[in-house]
Amino acid sequence: MADTAVLTHEAGAADPGLAARLGALDLPAGGFTAPARKAALARFEKMGLPRGRDEYWRYTDPSAFNAAVPAPMDIADSGPDGPLFEDLDRLRLVFVDGVFDAAASDDLALEGVEIDTLAAAEGQAGHWAADVYGTLEAEGQTRVARPFGALNTAVARDGALIRVTGKPSRPIHLIHRRADDSADVYFHHVIVVEPGAEVTVLETGMTGARSNYVIEVDVREGGSFHHITAKRAGYQKLGWGGIFARVAAKALFKSFNLSLNGTLMRHEAVIDIVGDDAVAHIAGAVLGDGKNGDFAHDDTVFITHGAERGESRQVFKKVLKNGAKGIFQGKILVQPGAQKTDGYQISQALLLDEDSQFLGKPELEIYADDVQCSHGSTTGAIDETVLFYLRSRGVPKGRAIVLMVLSFLADALAEVEDESLREQISERLDAWLTRHA
C-alpha cells in the first residue's frame, strides 16, 4: 500500500483534518478490491471532507462525521424494541460491528442465489464482485460529490456479496449487532440481480458508535430488488449510509427505510435508471424525538432518468418532536431522450411541537419534453379538528395521536409490497409511538 501512504501524506499536507480522519483508519491492502480501493481513496482525497458551505450539506453539520474518531456510545443505549422479522422464515447473515459472524449466521446456501462475504472473498481470483465493487459508487460521484461513499469503498473490510440468479424462496436478512462502545464501523454490500431474478433483502439491528455503510445494487434487465431496512439507533448514534443503484430495462428497484432515534443520521441514495421501462422507488419513515438530546435525520436522494418510460417515486415522511430536525433533499434529473418519464417526489413532515423543524429541498431538472414529473413538500401539525373528533368518540388523546401519525405515515409504508412485512413494520411503529405519545 505504498501508493496509498503517499496519497494520504500529500493530502494531509493540504488538509490536516483529512489527514487526521485517514490517520485514524487502518487502511486494508485488498485483494481483488485493491484497484477500486486505491481509486476510491484518490477520489476521497480529491473531494476532501464535506463542509457546511457545500450545497448538499447546508442543512446538516458534517463535523461529527469529519471527526477522526467518534465519541463512545453506551452499548445498552438501544431502547426496548426487540428485533424485527424474528418470526419470518429467512436466511440470516449476522455482522458484529461490521464483521461477519459465521457462528451466529445461517448456512449461506440458498437456491437461486450466491452469497459470500467481502472479507472471505478478497483472496479469490476471478470473483464476480470484482467487476462491481466500487463501480456504482464511482459512477454516483459524477454529478454530486459523495465523499463518505468513496471513503467507504477505500476502507470497508467486510459486507455481504449477493448475486441473485433465480428467485430464492426466502428473504436474505442482514442483521447488525454491537460489541464495542466506540466502534467506527464500515461495511460494504454488493448485490447483483441477474436478468429475470428477484430477491428481498432485509436489514435490521444496530452497529457502531458511528457507522458508514454502502450498498451497491445492480439490477439487470427484468430483475426485481426489494430492500427493507430498519436499523435501530441509540440516542447517541451517528450514522451515514449510501445506496448506489443501477436499474436496467424492465427492472424494478424498491427500497424502504425505517429510522428511529439517533443523534445524526444521514442516508444518501444515487439511483440511475439506465434502461427503458425501468422502475425505481425509494421511501422512508422517520420518527425523531429530541428529548434525550440533539436529533437530526437527513435523506438526500438523486435519481437520474436516462432511458424512456422510466418511473421513479420518492416518498418520505418524518414525524418530529421535542426539537427534532428533519431534512429532505431530493432531485429528479431527466436526461435528453428520456421521453415518457414519470417522476414523482413527495416529502412531508408532521411536527408535534413548535420546537421541531423540517427543511426540504425538492428539485427537478428536465431535458426532455414529453415527461410527467412533479414534486411536493409540506410541513404541518396535528389536525386539531380530527383530534377532537377522535376524542369525542372516546379515543384517549395519546392513542388518537398515534392513530393520526400512523395514518400520516401510510403512504411511505405502502411502498413495502409484502403485506406481512408491512404489518410487522406498522406494529413496531405503533409500539414506538405509543411509548412516545
Side-chain angles (χ1 to χ4, degrees), residues 139-178:
E139 292 175 355
Q141 305 286 359
T142 57
R143 298 181 183 91
V144 178
R146 319 281 175 175
F148 293 121
L151 177 63
N152 180 286
T153 297
V155 307
R157 292 180 175 273
D158 215 345
L161 307 179
I162 302 172
R163 178 172 174 258
V164 188
T165 57
K167 298 184 178 181
S169 59
R170 295 184 288 164
I172 298 168
H173 189 183
L174 309 178
I175 301 171
H176 299 278
R177 296 176 179 167
R178 303 186 58 211

Side-chain angles (χ1 to χ4, degrees), residues 29 62 113 163 191 244 279 411:
V113 65
R163 178 172 174 258
I191 303 173
F244 298 86
V279 175
D411 287 345

